[in-house]
Amino acid sequence: MLTMQDALARLTAYWTDQGCLVVQPMNTEVGAGTLNPATFLRVLGPEPWRVVYVEPSVRPDDSRYGENPNRLQTHTQVQVILKPDPGNPQELYLGSLTALGIDVAAHDVRFVEDNWASPALGAWGLGWEVWLDGLEITQFTYFQQAGGLNLEPPSVEITYGIERIIMALQGVTHFKDIEYAEGVSYGEVFGQAEYEMSRYYLDDADVATNRRLLELYAAEAQRLIDEGLPIPAHTYVLKCSQAFNVLDSRGAVSTADRAAEFARMRRLAGDVARLWMARRDELGHPLGVVSPLPPAAAFEAATAGEAPRTLVFEVGTEEMPPSEARAAVEQVRRELTERLGGTRLAHGDVRVHATPRRLIAVVADVAAREPDHERTVKGPKTGAPEKAVAGFARSQGVPVESLETAELNGVPHLVVRKHEAGRAAPAVLADVLAKVTGSLRSAKNMRWNDPQLAFTRPIRWLVALWGDEIVPLAVSSLLAGRDTRVLRTAAQPAVSVASAETFMETLAINGIVANADDRRELIVTGAQDLVWDSGRIDVAGEAALIDQITYLVEQPTPLLGTFDEKYLELPAAVLTTVMRKHQRYLPVRDADGTLLPMFVTVANGPVDVERVRSGNEAVLRARYEDAAFFYRADRKLPLAAMRDKLQRLTFTDKLGSMADRAARIAALSLSLREPSATLERAAQLVKFDLGSQLVTEMTSLAGVMARDYALHAGETPAVAQAVYEAELPRSAGDDLPASVPGALLSLADRLDLLAGLAATVGLPTGSSDPFAVRRAVLGLIAVHRAHPDLAGIDLTAALAAAGALQPVEVPAAVLADAGDFLAKRLEQVLVEEGHPVDRVRAVLPHAGRPSFADLLLAQLGRLITDPRFLALAEAIQRARRIVPDGTPAGYDPALLKEPAEVALHETVQTVRRELPADADLSRLTAVAGRLTDPVNAFFDEVFVMADDPALRAARLGLLATVRDLGAGLLDWPQLRL
Amino acid sequence: MLTMQDALARLTAYWTDQGCLVVQPMNTEVGAGTLNPATFLRVLGPEPWRVVYVEPSVRPDDSRYGENPNRLQTHTQVQVILKPDPGNPQELYLGSLTALGIDVAAHDVRFVEDNWASPALGAWGLGWEVWLDGLEITQFTYFQQAGGLNLEPPSVEITYGIERIIMALQGVTHFKDIEYAEGVSYGEVFGQAEYEMSRYYLDDADVATNRRLLELYAAEAQRLIDEGLPIPAHTYVLKCSQAFNVLDSRGAVSTADRAAEFARMRRLAGDVARLWMARRDELGHPLGVVSPLPPAAAFEAATAGEAPRTLVFEVGTEEMPPSEARAAVEQVRRELTERLGGTRLAHGDVRVHATPRRLIAVVADVAAREPDHERTVKGPKTGAPEKAVAGFARSQGVPVESLETAELNGVPHLVVRKHEAGRAAPAVLADVLAKVTGSLRSAKNMRWNDPQLAFTRPIRWLVALWGDEIVPLAVSSLLAGRDTRVLRTAAQPAVSVASAETFMETLAINGIVANADDRRELIVTGAQDLVWDSGRIDVAGEAALIDQITYLVEQPTPLLGTFDEKYLELPAAVLTTVMRKHQRYLPVRDADGTLLPMFVTVANGPVDVERVRSGNEAVLRARYEDAAFFYRADRKLPLAAMRDKLQRLTFTDKLGSMADRAARIAALSLSLREPSATLERAAQLVKFDLGSQLVTEMTSLAGVMARDYALHAGETPAVAQAVYEAELPRSAGDDLPASVPGALLSLADRLDLLAGLAATVGLPTGSSDPFAVRRAVLGLIAVHRAHPDLAGIDLTAALAAAGALQPVEVPAAVLADAGDFLAKRLEQVLVEEGHPVDRVRAVLPHAGRPSFADLLLAQLGRLITDPRFLALAEAIQRARRIVPDGTPAGYDPALLKEPAEVALHETVQTVRRELPADADLSRLTAVAGRLTDPVNAFFDEVFVMADDPALRAARLGLLATVRDLGAGLLDWPQLRL
């Protein structure tokens, strides 16, 4: 059996063979190998660096007294840095797994998007978690920035989690059972330390002491920065970090502290990084300087044939995130179509495909060459001085005699007519494809060893074939060819393609399903086939997950796995969250929709099914065991104690802790209307489950766990439901609160968020919406609309009340902006639902009461064909047009003499008398319908603008009264009749 | 070429193959691998433990900005712990060198005594430095105690200094030039850190911050001890240690701090150790419990022949310290002789030999058996009751009838006469040798894997042969045989011996020179032969070193090495100190005694001469380079600045810094008599070189360097000589100050030491004399005696003056005791010089003025045959016998009437008149000689005890005057005439 210490030795030896230096772990506590100066400092600057080292990584927060089978306060990382990117780091990495004795062809090894950022270090990178049969065993990151500085060249960082890998390889379920060395278990060697250090971090570390240590370390770091000594300064930054982590695990980090401490560490780390760079410059870069890859030299295109041929263009990448792969399809299609359109090359359909590792464009019938073309070059006007004419001819390289004359904009000019031969397809395509490749961009782009390109992940190869000819495409350091790559674990991972026409077939033969629809189909039918005897996959319900899986594999291989029935005692949401979010497994349900103890995972390519199945089952078991551990622990804790923990969670720097926020939500919910006993209790509890271990681990379970824990603690079902519903809706299309207490809490939650953030962070602009305010406002609208019983609640007023509860001042202008923001979202929602824009705008004065706006819209839909309403509306609009703005709705009836005006006066007074204050449109129409005739008669028979000013005023006052009959109910001028 | 990282990997792999666990370096700064819990905690208690790890070891004090070629603030250790002792750890260790590619047969690998103790950890062990061609590459220790607890079983600790080993293997002279990994130098990777961390430790660490850190760490350690958590507590003890080291390297550790801090750390480390032991007990010793080696089962002796044969008895050990090997020779001789004497076995001469690895006893003509013997067992008195008689017979296993009668002490008893056959030699010898082996003890004893034995180093094998028979000797786990061991690097390291008679020859054939005289001869003649062309070895001057070398090798192989002439510019004392003390090299001088740039080292056994030579030369070069580095740096520093550094050196806790002590010495020296200008200046400088780097490194050069640096700084030769002489004599037989200023400083130095320590630590008792007060007092006497010109200085008075200068009160009683101590030493010295005890005691009243005592003794030697002196002495003694104690020397001459008494009166008055106050014995004899006749006449003619009281008083007064003539000059009653 491969012992843990053997594994460390083998990895070290493997990477040493790849030219890595071996250094020692940091001799002060660090949370990860990244913090070791052999990474944090060495990734900076232009010097090459290849290193491998072991790093015992201390995470005080992960302390579990050695009881949790998968979590340790100190775990062992093997850290590898490759700088510059060697161009094939994934292949080198797979080699290291082979060195560990892992058969990478039999197992399912996957690179799953995982981006990394450490705000405290001013560092980030893009990369993957590497999965071995569903188990995350490695972090693989292209480091882009550290200490706030761009890394040029970027480094590849590979971080192995050794305990996990060894547990998987040895098939043990508790870290203590790892065979550390022959005949000696991990628990025997490190068990006591695990327990005692957990005791220290969780219970016994002296808070005052660690606080003072933190300050002393920070001051010393600053002094050393001032002295220009980055290395000792860095050591003290690390000591700061550890002291902070100890305080955090002891629950002693206050709201204000955390943000301040992160800011300080970021500043110190940035200073250290800059100093280090400067020192290395001074020292003349002792390890040398990385030279960028040279540009690829394009070859001459072969002579093209004459017949149109297919163009295939493949951009080979390392594993793209699913969303980026999908987005790239559209981008390639658009770019390629536009740029081909900019040439004179005839071509047929453009089809684009994406898999995790490639973008493929197939263009049918691309002509062999552009047609020839005559171009007119404009010269001086006819009759220009001879010198100018001669100069023009010379500049065009033609004798003066060959100049012709042409009318340009009606003026005769001397011109040269040039015959341009159409270029051959390969040359044209080379230009086009180079531009397409260079223009590729994703939402978040990275750099690798290529000196110019930037994309979501590295581009490693290009295939460009027009028929059977290679398009002479060279982009930066890449040269296109006819070799594509198939599964890395294939016997022949690179395959030569004969011609564009056989490209897709070649891929298919080699197992690559290039078409996403095909892959989806394979996944869905494969999964259903696997479970058919026992249950079903909810294909519609899991559509998003299936879409994601479609872009996680190139050759979908669904596998059925099972788990112990005992875990079904965990809440279903826990089970499915783990399956979907953490593992991308498809849950299986029986006919009633009840979860079955099984799952479908989709491996990539031909694997050893039994091994991969059992590996994935072990991962799920470990995760469920973890969850069960938290679940049991949480259920032992009184709700009040859990809620108390909210004091330790920061909401935002200026808006206090999560406990503060929960208190505001409670107060606000109780003020929205006379509270029920259920609401009163639910308000006391709201958000308490954020203090539970399970929700800390899986934040998406907030609310769900609150309901579960509340019920378990003996709260009424109504209260439990309300604390759950307080979190609804969690996303677009999610369930909405069904109960009134739930709805009130949900509204209060979102109003608090909107008011607080509008006043501190500002309202969302463009794509920047870190606190998901937009989603909260949409939730606000949805909840209100779902509860006509709460139509009386005016969100605008409630927003002001929420503002008054904030720990910061929320100015009226901010509230007004927030109200506008809300109205805009409502307008958008209603229009998207298909309501005519004019009607939507007409009801928008009621944006504060979206359910009332709904009512009005519904009535409008019916009344819009009702002659009485039309007449009324017409009357109102007509009155509005005549009556000057600002004219009050009042008049002296004694001045009215004409029968028509007297009749109108009497009808108006009747209507006003009969119309209730809260009339809606139907009522208005019913009551005011009788105005139709008198109004018409009035306009026919009465001349409003009488010479007698008093009479004119009375008539205008009468019309103003008509105008105002529907005032406040609709924005009448918006309505197009 | 073996790179450093390859070497780390190979050592790790080698020890892993020997069953060691691999763990990681400590993730907080440590000064040595010993501090890692994988050593410090794991050596405690009964659990087995084998581990190997790399430990970057931080020594702030060794910071040199990366400039010194051999010294680093962080160097790399590989640490191995073997628990229990596997029985052959040295052989395993040699295997590790082979794994590094070192040909241990070609090189000179030696185990040179080096005992280890860490008072701050309450830890100690015995072992060696391992030398590779003179270079210390490893510390090899049998750990005996840690945290103040005895280690049962003891552990073997092997600590490699990797940088040194690699420098030697790669043949580079600066650590920066080590090839760390292929194509990458150590300097390129670690150079900047070495510089910056040196800056931190030497210049930039904030003293106040580190002081506060130290206190916080210590408090946290204590809290964790109180919480019963040894592992985190240990971490904080380590942090204490590092903070303390930082303060120390910043020169911020005050007198009182150091002792207090060590005491605190010792206490904390002890608590941690005890807690750990208790926790492991509680946990039931997860790694199991070491079983002790079983006792060896002695076999039956073969039937002995009848002829006397030789006995050979060999105790095979690991390398003993030279002094212990020599002491063991005497011990074995005594024990063996005595215990053989306790048997009835006839035998001839007992000869005992020792080499580093064996003690050999050869006993000639050991009889084949003891003679038969008749033994009488005493029973009851004749006529005792029948029951008693029967009981006696039964107890002796004989019938009552066979009892005989014998007179015992004149009373007739019943007895049994038993005939006892003499035992055969092997059986007798087995008993004797078992006792001899078990009784072996050294000045400092250790334990190893044997459950019972204890000795200076482990005993690994026994040979015991009587003629050609094996003596059936079993001692604890060891069983004697006929296999001895020769050089470890021999083709056949174990050799079977045919018979006792051929034992020495067998050793000789295998290269072992068992006889120390033979080895010494080989060394001396070999060395002289090597240097004969150019110079000589001063055999007499180097006798002590040669004696030591004799016990460092079993097969002396002298080699000649050279060094660069440029180093001859260093003071000769520096060169020879390095050669003798550090390297055990013999210096070579020309006819004038001037050093030549060469040396002789003595390897053990047949080696590759060229390799060993060049290795040793490289070591010497590195040491001289080091010394030259310090020497140059020191010479740049003004003397005053160097002297200022004395403030950072503690003398003792209560007696202040070395600067305080130097100031006291200066003040005292100036007070001893009217000072010269030379003394005034020298007093300002005295001891300044203790602040130099070179003396810090080689304390034995104190004084020598002072002279050198003083001359270089432009002081007068007289001043330079005086500061040098202030340190003389440094040991028994050393030079004495020749100049008066030098002598005065030397006296003041030793008086200060005596007064201060007598008042604080106490005077030396038995073998405990940590501050070498005894040596100082002997120096005091020697200097005074060497300077008759200073005879006027009374050391007793000067001691009081020294006492008055101390920072503590020195009570009169202490001064009196110190004076007595001085007098006793003087008595001892004088007696040892051959002076008769009575005379010595007679002059001891002048112990405060030893040179005056010398004068008196010399006079006594002459006068003792002078009748005048004898008569005078007789008269004085006679007077003393008659005159009662306390009688004053005065009388009324008018009362004296008898002619004899009048004559005596007149002569006495004349003598008194003529005797000068400071008369010595010669003068006294000359002047007082005339008293002979009058005294004799007085005693013949005058009856002293007259009846008349007045007359009697006058006569006694007259005699008292005679008595007192020599008072104060001698203690007359002591003198035996």
Side-chain angles (χ1 to χ4, degrees), chain A residues 5 22 42 180 189 196 231, chain B residues 5 22 42 180 189 196:
Chain A
Q5 73 181 26
V22 183
R42 296 290 182 170
Y180 180 77
V189 184
E196 291 191 15
I231 294 175
Chain B
Q5 73 180 25
V22 183
R42 295 290 181 172
Y180 180 77
V189 184
E196 291 191 15

Side-chain angles (χ1 to χ4, degrees), chain A residues 253-255 643-650 657-660:
Chain A
V253 174
S254 78
T255 306
R643 196 175 190 285
D644 282 349
K645 293 197 176 173
L646 268 54
Q647 289 162 13
R648 286 170 46 186
L649 295 174
T650 307
S657 70
M658 204 48 89
D660 298 334

Side-chain angles (χ1 to χ4, degrees), chain A residues 5 20-22 27-29 42 180-181 189 192 196 200 204 206 217 220 223 230-231 236 239 280, chain B residues 5 20-22 27-29 42 180-181 189 192 196 200 204 206 217 220 223 230-231 236 239 280:
Chain A
Q5 73 181 26
C20 285
L21 291 181
V22 183
N27 62 357
T28 194
E29 295 93 338
R42 296 290 182 170
Y180 180 77
V189 184
Q192 189 183 340
E196 291 191 15
Y200 182 69
D204 292 310
D206 189 57
Y217 293 152
E220 197 72 342
R223 285 188 57 260
I231 294 175
Y236 276 100
K239 288 177 194 288
R280 297 304 284 183
Chain B
Q5 73 180 25
C20 285
L21 293 180
V22 183
N27 63 356
T28 193
E29 295 92 339
R42 295 290 181 172
Y180 180 77
V189 184
Q192 188 183 341
E196 291 191 15
Y200 182 68
D204 293 310
D206 189 57
Y217 293 151
E220 197 71 344
R223 285 189 57 261
I231 293 175
Y236 276 100
K239 289 178 193 289
R280 297 305 284 184

Side-chain angles (χ1 to χ4, degrees), chain A residues 230-252:
Chain A
I231 294 175
H234 178 63
T235 303
Y236 276 100
V237 174
L238 299 183
K239 288 177 194 288
C240 283
S241 171
Q242 165 74 359
F244 177 80
N245 290 345
V246 173
L247 288 171
D248 200 18
S249 68
R250 290 283 285 117

Side-chain angles (χ1 to χ4, degrees), chain A residues 401-431:
Chain A
E401 299 77 44
S402 69
L403 296 179
E404 299 176 34
T405 304
E407 196 101 327
L408 295 172
N409 298 324
V411 182
H413 282 76
L414 292 173
V415 299
V416 174
R417 292 205 195 273
K418 292 199 163 175
H419 178 85
E420 293 189 341
R423 291 173 300 159
V428 177
L429 293 171
D431 277 1

Side-chain angles (χ1 to χ4, degrees), chain A residues 689-714:
Chain A
D689 61 340
L690 296 185
S692 72
Q693 293 190 53
L694 196 50
V695 174
T696 302
E697 284 298 304
M698 294 188 259
T699 46
S700 67
L701 293 175
V704 173
M705 298 322 302
R707 176 173 55 190
D708 186 287
Y709 295 152
L711 282 173
H712 181 257

Side-chain angles (χ1 to χ4, degrees), chain A residues 814-826:
Chain A
V814 167
L815 288 173
D817 286 348
D820 285 352
F821 185 82
L822 173 69
K824 286 227 176 60
R825 296 289 86 67
L826 180 61

